Amino acid sequence: MRHFRRKASGPLVAIVFWTVASLITLFPVYWMFAVSAKSRVQLFGSPSFLISSFFTENYLSTLSDPAFQRYMTNSIVIATSNALLVTALALLATYALSRYKLPGKENLFFWTITNRMAPPAVFLLPLFLLYTQVFVVADVKLFDTKIGLILLYCVFNLPFAIWTLRGVIDGIPKELDEAAFVDGANTWQVLTQVILPLAKPGLAVTGILTWVFAWNEYLFAATLTSVNARTITTGLAEFVTVTGTNWGRMAATAMLTLVPALLVLGLAQRHIVAGLTFGAVKE
Amino acid sequence: MAPVTITNVRKRYGSAEVIHGVSVNIEDGEFVILVGPSGCGKSTLLRMVAGLEEISSGDVRIGGKVVNDRPPKDRDIAMVFQNYALYPHMTVYDNMSFSLRLKRRPVSEIDSKVRHAASILDLEKLLDRYPRQLSGGQRQRVAMGRAIVRDPQVFLFDEPLSNLDAKLRVQMRAEIKELHQRLKTTTIYVTHDQIEAMTMADKIVVMHDGVVEQIGAPLELYDRPKNLFVAGFIGSPAMNFIEGQVSAVNGQPAMTTDDGVVLPVSVPRALLQTGQRLVYGIRPEHITLGEGGPAAHVSVIEPTGSETQVFMKLGSNPLVGVFRERIALHPGERLGIRLDPGKAHLFDKTSGQRLA
Ligand SMILES: Nc1ncnc2c1ncn2[C@@H]1O[C@H](COP(=O)(O)OP(=O)(O)O)[C@@H](O)[C@H]1O
Ligand SMILES: [Mg+2]
């Protein structure tokens, strides 16, 4: 009996621990949900964490708001384009770094990360000037464009993505490339038919983290956009006005921004399968 | 199928040259083995034939055409790697059909070729498995299957058996040889194992430190090694070497060891100079028992059942003898031996080259 109890106590402690940890993590989300489900009167009348009746107006008015729709679309387009672009470029870059003899490639590799060493705010003013004054062709500027934000996020995410993927690509045995070359593949076919499928877990992780970075980014989105390219994070801040804050709408908006994030996580998670390279070459 | 000609090929990594001008002619359908100790440049040479390594100078011809600047995919070769290099995300079937799919062959053709190769290699039941679900020997077979579905001009093998256990290695050795007899595709096979070379090759290329020491049929190398390196490398247990100096006995040339043992030699006198340092080589099975020759002292006896290996000392020189009969001997015992001058190999000590 003692033997059994000792065995069971391990999982039990773990279950209790993780349950408490999850509750602590999820509590703010629940709080936000509770706020979003209440009218102004309910919210300020008798504050409570419980939801007595679901007040749908916050959600309905948010969803039908053209500004919300535009911000949401912008965010989805920007975050997704950024994630795809960064992941694709990082794959090409790390493949080259891993497989080719480039003079000074370790320096190059290190240099890519240096732009993450200063606080992002340092770049704010120069970027604002570049986007409004310098990168201007006729009437076209990068300021307040989706492309502008996508490119900027690429600059910030690419180094990080290269650092994440380097180990993944280095971990794929070079003999697999060589076997494919001998089998008649060209470099592109090696990349798409051998490297890409094997790097999938790493690419998925890189993609998610990049996507989340762009999805959550506030500072640059707020500074480098005004009307057309505003994202949902900056949109959230617009509920705070001089005349007061619409807490219910704000919470509903925040809840709705969680939905795409959960979808992306769910989609990417299916590709994160460990141990995919096992059995390629004899260890 | 095609002949392969390697002409004066060199390989440099930066300033270090690792292959110093190698020339080998491989005829159409021939099974050639590159053998030599680890690090002598076998893989590098093979990879230059495959197109995976740049050729610093010299030419490689496949089917008469210089292929130096062609990528691997345009050389019509198939290669089996030491680590198998199977695509882990593909089933056995997809691994084997990959090259044909790249060439966009019709599905029916791909299917019949894969199934044919699978039946040759006894892989039919494993076609839906992934490499991680296979044993070492099965992976080895899949790697070969991937090569044979191609029906290439040349097969290249880089130590394909070195990751298998001893028993499987002997079995696969026979299978590869049988496969070659069946397909008759020109094959270049790299190994560091001289037994593998002796048993499988039509022709052996012995390499050492980036140069070719000798090229020849297995028994040719065994019977007439050109130099001390080949003499010592080919054969197991290895050839015995005894050092000494040219002397004469009753007007007949002989060699006297530093301990004063006199060994008659059957080399024309014209080839020898007085005082020349020699190395006298004799294979273990060419040492016979009997009086009238020099006397050795037994140090260790190893009976294997089918034969008896006797480790002995001739003066200060260690010798190994292999005898078919079961002889009752004890360590320290005196043993009369005979070294047949006709079976002995004589080398110049300084150059290491064979005399006559
Ligand atoms: N990429 C490389 N850079 C520098 N030296 C190398 C490289 N590849 C192999 N060599 C050297 O070339 C020599 C031959 O290597 P290799 O062909 O692999 O030998 P083998 O296959 O006969 O064991 C070795 O001394 C090895 O150190
Ligand atoms: Mg090698």
Side-chain angles (χ1 to χ4, degrees), chain B residues 26-180:
Chain B
I26 297 158
E27 274 155 45
D28 194 1
E30 212 172 14
F31 196 115
V32 169
I33 293 195
L34 306 180
V35 68
S38 182
C40 71
K42 311 176 294 285
S43 296
T44 308
L45 188 62
L46 192 76
R47 290 164 59 81
M48 287 194 284
V49 175
L52 294 170
E53 209 73 68
E54 222 172 280
I55 299 166
S56 304
S57 74
D59 284 332
V60 170
R61 285 188 185 78
I62 298 177
K65 293 192 195 71
V66 176
V67 296
N68 288 29
D69 297 323
R70 284 196 207 170
K73 71 186 180 72
D74 300 329
R75 295 192 184 197
D76 202 6
I77 39 126
M79 184 159 170
V80 176
F81 293 80
Q82 181 172 1
N83 295 323
Y84 318 141
L86 301 179
Y87 311 119
H89 57 300
M90 296 184 198
T91 60
V92 168
Y93 187 99
D94 289 343
N95 262 283
M96 286 170 66
S97 62
F98 186 63
S99 59
L100 299 173
R101 283 185 282 133
L102 286 172
K103 279 195 212 145
R104 299 185 191 287
R105 309 304 305 172
V107 176
S108 58
E109 182 195 321
I110 294 179
D111 195 63
S112 74
K113 282 191 170 167
V114 170
R115 290 191 191 279
H116 179 62
S119 76
I120 293 178
L121 293 164
D122 202 15
L123 288 169
E124 287 136 312
K125 292 200 186 70
L126 305 174
L127 287 174
D128 295 328
R129 299 249 193 116
Y130 285 89
R132 62 178 174 275
Q133 301 166 315
L134 302 177
S135 70
Q138 290 167 335
R139 287 183 203 174
Q140 172 59 50
R141 280 211 183 78
V142 176
M144 297 204 342
R146 197 166 61 176
I148 65 179
V149 290
R150 299 268 311 278
D151 192 16
Q153 301 270 13
V154 184
F155 280 136
L156 306 175
F157 291 88
D158 192 354
E159 311 223 8
L161 305 185
S162 58
N163 280 332
L164 302 179
D165 61 53
K167 196 171 164 207
L168 205 51
R169 195 150 48 202
V170 174
Q171 185 191 333
M172 288 304 295
R173 211 153 78 188
E175 280 188 32
I176 293 178
K177 202 170 167 180
E178 197 188 303
L179 195 67
H180 177 255

Side-chain angles (χ1 to χ4, degrees), chain A residues 13-282:
Chain A
V13 171
I15 288 168
V16 170
F17 175 80
W18 287 113
T19 309
V20 172
S22 305
L23 287 177
I24 293 174
T25 317
L26 288 175
F27 181 69
V29 179
Y30 171 75
W31 194 344
M32 193 163 68
F33 177 67
V35 172
S36 76
K38 290 175 183 183
S39 70
R40 233 181 151 71
V41 179
Q42 287 171 311
L43 203 54
F44 292 105
S46 51
S48 155
F49 284 127
L50 301 176
I51 304 163
S52 45
S53 66
F54 197 93
F55 181 71
T56 53
E57 176 54 24
N58 285 333
Y59 283 94
L60 293 179
S61 58
T62 302
L63 284 170
S64 59
D65 179 356
F68 168 82
Q69 291 166 359
R70 192 171 69 244
Y71 294 171
M72 199 64 158
T73 318
N74 285 345
S75 269
I76 290 173
V77 169
I78 289 169
T80 308
S81 316
N82 172 57
L84 293 177
L85 196 59
V86 164
T87 310
L89 289 175
L91 176 65
L92 298 178
T94 44
Y95 184 73
L97 281 172
S98 170
R99 298 300 202 256
Y100 292 94
K101 284 196 207 84
L102 307 169
K105 74 176 178 186
E106 291 312 316
N107 296 336
L108 195 69
F109 178 55
F110 181 75
W111 176 75
T112 56
I113 204 80
T114 51
N115 81 355
R116 296 299 295 267
M117 289 180 180
V122 168
F123 303 109
L124 206 52
L125 188 62
L127 278 169
F128 182 78
L129 293 174
L130 286 172
Y131 272 42
T132 52
Q133 320 270 316
V134 182
F135 297 156
V136 178
V137 180
D139 260 357
V140 186
K141 305 176 189 179
L142 281 177
F143 183 76
D144 198 24
T145 59
K146 291 197 270 291
I147 282 287
L149 278 189
I150 293 169
L151 290 178
L152 180 66
Y153 293 160
C154 280
V155 170
F156 276 93
N157 280 326
L158 201 49
F160 154 78
I162 289 173
W163 277 64
T164 324
L165 272 184
R166 175 79 192 266
V168 174
I169 304 294
D170 278 350
I172 299 174
K174 207 178 168 203
E175 283 103 329
L176 293 183
D177 303 38
E178 292 178 341
F181 281 128
V182 171
D183 266 347
N186 56 35
T187 309
W188 180 249
Q189 287 166 324
V190 170
L191 201 56
T192 53
Q193 300 191 37
V194 178
I195 302 294
L196 186 76
L198 292 175
K200 234 191 219 167
L203 292 171
V205 171
T206 311
I208 290 179
L209 293 174
T210 316
W211 191 91
V212 168
F213 172 91
W215 186 253
N216 289 336
E217 206 284 325
Y218 176 78
L219 186 65
F220 290 103
T223 321
L224 299 178
T225 64
S226 59
V227 185
N228 294 322
R230 292 246 109 172
T231 61
I232 196 73
T233 46
T234 58
L236 273 176
E238 287 175 6
F239 288 103
V240 185
T241 63
V242 281
T243 56
T245 303
N246 187 342
W247 292 108
R249 283 277 313 269
M250 191 180 187
T253 309
M255 288 308 292
L256 289 171
T257 61
L258 281 180
V259 176
L262 288 175
L263 282 177
V264 166
L265 264 172
L267 279 177
Q269 204 168 29
R270 289 191 303 151
H271 297 292
I272 306 175
V273 188
L276 209 58
T277 53
F278 178 75
V281 298
K282 179 156 175 153

Side-chain angles (χ1 to χ4, degrees), chain B residues 210-223:
Chain B
V211 298
V212 170
E213 296 281 359
Q214 188 170 0
I215 302 179
L219 293 181
E220 219 174 294
L221 299 192
Y222 192 82
D223 293 340

